Amino acid sequence: MIVKVDFTGPVHKAWSESGHEIHAHTVIIATGASAKWLDIPGEERLQNLGVSACAVCDGFFFRKQDVAIVGGGDTAAEESTYLAKICKTVHLLVRRDEMRASKIMQERVVNTPNIVVHWNTSPVEVLGDDGVSGVRVKNNKTSEVSDLPITGFFVAIGHKPNTEIFKDWLTLDESGYIVATAGRTFTGIPAFACGDAQDKIIARR
Ligand SMILES: Cc1cc2nc3c(=O)[nH]c(=O)nc-3n(C[C@H](O)[C@H](O)[C@H](O)COP(=O)(O)OP(=O)(O)OC[C@H]3O[C@@H](n4cnc5c(N)ncnc54)[C@H](O)[C@@H]3O)c2cc1C
């Protein structure tokens, strides 16, 4: 795990977690992107016990069960229609009274009978001891709080590129993606960036 880099001189330096110093004339950055989390009680504790940020990876574990998914973009729309093919009921929690997803994706969501869209709704706590047993939600208009019984809780609110350690040396865009020559990997210095750390369109999938 690289925790620090120094790209000042002709020889780039990188330090690993254990303090090992690495020298290189060229660096290829392929650190990817990580799912964003909500940071609500129960979310971290119940990860791998019913909380997931990847419906395609984990949806199968919730066959014929009731699940909830959080988000209003294309990812949430795509993942909720995917889950609807496997699960009994999919509760889609959308914090506003509209979705950011493309029109065609929204139509697919509302035309899927076992997807229940909860508008103006935010999760406030994931419930459960050894596994997810429900989600506590708040209506953002009325402030009413209620519990939805579910066994799977999916978070689909986007990804954050793992580029923090490069911010002093390379140009990052407003979302933290490394800026490279259009359609290429060159960053302007002998450091090349590829994959989800650089390509926000692929990373958003
Ligand atoms: C649900 C889902 C479905 C997808 N489906 C498809 C699909 O069907 N087709 C498709 O083409 N793509 C798909 N993608 C996208 C694809 O998975 C990614 O684009 C691809 O994995 C990106 O590769 P990467 O090497 O850039 O990053 P990653 O695969 O994320 O790898 C990054 C690696 O860097 C390591 N790392 C991070 N920071 C550091 C550090 N500081 N020091 C050392 N190591 C570090 C990480 O531990 C990780 O091993 C999907 C993505 C998701 C989330």
Side-chain angles (χ1 to χ4, degrees):
M1 194 70 183
I2 299 302
V3 290
K4 190 180 146 195
V5 295
D6 181 340
F7 291 168
T8 24
V11 176
H12 297 331
K13 293 178 186 157
W15 287 266
S16 74
E17 228 168 9
S18 54
H20 186 59
E21 186 173 321
I22 299 156
H23 292 186
H25 287 104
T26 303
V27 176
I28 299 170
I29 300 165
T31 46
S34 301
K36 287 186 190 165
W37 295 99
L38 296 155
D39 207 14
I40 56 171
E43 183 188 53
E44 193 179 350
R45 181 174 56 84
L46 292 164
Q47 262 173 42
N48 302 321
L49 294 170
V51 172
S52 166
C54 180
V56 184
C57 320
D58 298 328
F60 185 78
F61 295 112
F62 303 94
R63 205 173 185 80
K64 298 193 174 143
Q65 298 176 38
D66 295 333
V67 299
I69 177 162
V70 188
D74 277 328
T75 307
E78 192 175 328
E79 295 205 339
S80 55
T81 49
Y82 174 82
L83 287 170
K85 292 184 192 130
I86 302 167
C87 306
K88 194 165 116 205
T89 311
V90 178
H91 297 279
L92 176 61
L93 312 179
V94 182
R95 67 178 163 172
R96 294 181 296 153
D97 56 6
E98 58 180 2
M99 291 180 75
R100 200 165 33 85
S102 57
K103 199 163 175 287
I104 188 159
M105 288 307 299
Q106 292 193 39
E107 278 168 13
R108 267 184 221 165
V109 167
V110 295
N111 290 328
T112 304
N114 61 336
I115 298 179
V116 182
V117 184
H118 300 257
W119 300 106
N120 301 301
T121 301
S122 297
V124 290
E125 183 175 356
V126 188
L127 309 170
D129 296 324
D130 301 334
V132 172
S133 61
V135 58
R136 185 154 295 154
V137 295
K138 183 178 154 199
N139 183 298
N140 297 324
K141 284 219 157 136
T142 63
S143 294
E144 189 189 332
V145 173
S146 56
D147 292 348
L148 282 174
I150 48 142
T151 49
F153 181 76
F154 292 88
V155 179
I157 57 170
H159 286 79
K160 187 179 180 299
N162 302 318
T163 55
E164 181 68 21
I165 56 170
F166 307 108
K167 70 175 193 302
D168 293 336
W169 313 103
L170 302 175
T171 308
L172 308 184
D173 74 6
E174 67 289 349
S175 306
Y177 291 91
I178 296 169
V179 176
T181 312
R184 314 279 310 251
T185 55
F186 188 52
T187 63
I189 61 167
F192 298 84
C194 59
D196 286 3
Q198 185 256 98
D199 188 336
K200 65 164 75 177
I201 295 167
I202 297 282
R204 253 191 224 145
R205 267 188 53 94

